Amino acid sequence: MTEGAPVTTRGRGARGGRRGPYAKSAERRSAIVEAAFEVFTAHGYQGGSLQRVADRVGMSQTSLLHYFPSKSDLLLEVLRRRDQMSSGDFVRGDGAQLAGDVERQARYNEGVPGLIGLYAVLSGEAVTEGNPGRTYVTERLAGLRRDYAADFRALAEVGRLREGVDPDRAAAGLVGLWDGVQLQWLLAPDEVDVPRLLRDYLDLVILPAAADDGTEPAPPPS
């Protein structure tokens, strides 16, 4: 259906009538965010102009600013949309399932078009002075380190963290590795297996669960 076209009321009651202005506005905002997602992924925040976004949704830049008063407002909405796409139906388990959770999330991320590319571009730009995404990226990375450190501590409490492994450093290492190998995957997707590389790292710091027969866990990979 053409955007903005009225819905026929023939054969419907009062409740089935045409969409109100709020529904149309919400649809328009969603279309703008989707267009901005594509533009920022391809050109970055600095290179992705509001005019490019407006052109993709077939409106003037002035009309776009009616929905998002500034480019930074639009960026923050795109980042919220990115978080929604990343979470999907994925539910993390407790620390004991950390390796499996990380591997599944990595595979899920690869299957969502633009998800990894957008984050790689915008997180790189976030280090520049005055970038409106800086706070988002800083807080996101801090939250990931905090969450993974808690998972590593939970594993340590049940004797599954290898001797000498510090939970905070292991968490920072996991986050840094993940971002780095995703960047390599964007450039060479047929050569870089992100889930496998993350699993390899976790195998170096996490002991396997004890076997049901009481045998000792396997030694760390050589």
Side-chain angles (χ1 to χ4, degrees), residues 50-81:
L50 287 178
Q51 188 60 58
R52 286 181 186 270
V53 178
D55 289 344
R56 283 187 180 241
V57 290
M59 64 179 4
S60 68
Q61 184 172 325
T62 301
S63 296
L64 186 151
L65 290 171
H66 171 74
Y67 295 94
F68 295 96
S70 70
K71 187 179 177 182
S72 60
D73 289 330
L74 181 55
L75 172 65
L76 295 177
E77 191 61 34
V78 168
L79 291 172
R80 281 190 284 270
R81 173 60 177 151

Side-chain angles (χ1 to χ4, degrees), residues 166-185:
D166 178 82
D168 291 313
R169 292 199 298 270
L174 174 59
V175 174
L177 174 66
W178 201 332
D179 281 358
V181 295
Q182 281 191 148
L183 178 58
Q184 294 182 58
W185 176 80

Side-chain angles (χ1 to χ4, degrees), residues 3 20-33 67-68:
E3 163 60 29
Y22 177 80
K24 294 179 182 178
S25 178
E27 287 181 6
R28 204 59 156 162
R29 283 178 60 89
S30 179
I32 293 169
V33 172
Y67 295 94
F68 295 96

Side-chain angles (χ1 to χ4, degrees), residues 2 23 34 37 64 117 136 142 187 194 206:
T2 302
E34 290 297 325
F37 188 104
L64 186 151
Y136 164 85
L187 299 172
V194 175
I206 300 174

Side-chain angles (χ1 to χ4, degrees), residues 208-217:
D212 293 338
D213 60 6
T215 57
E216 291 295 320

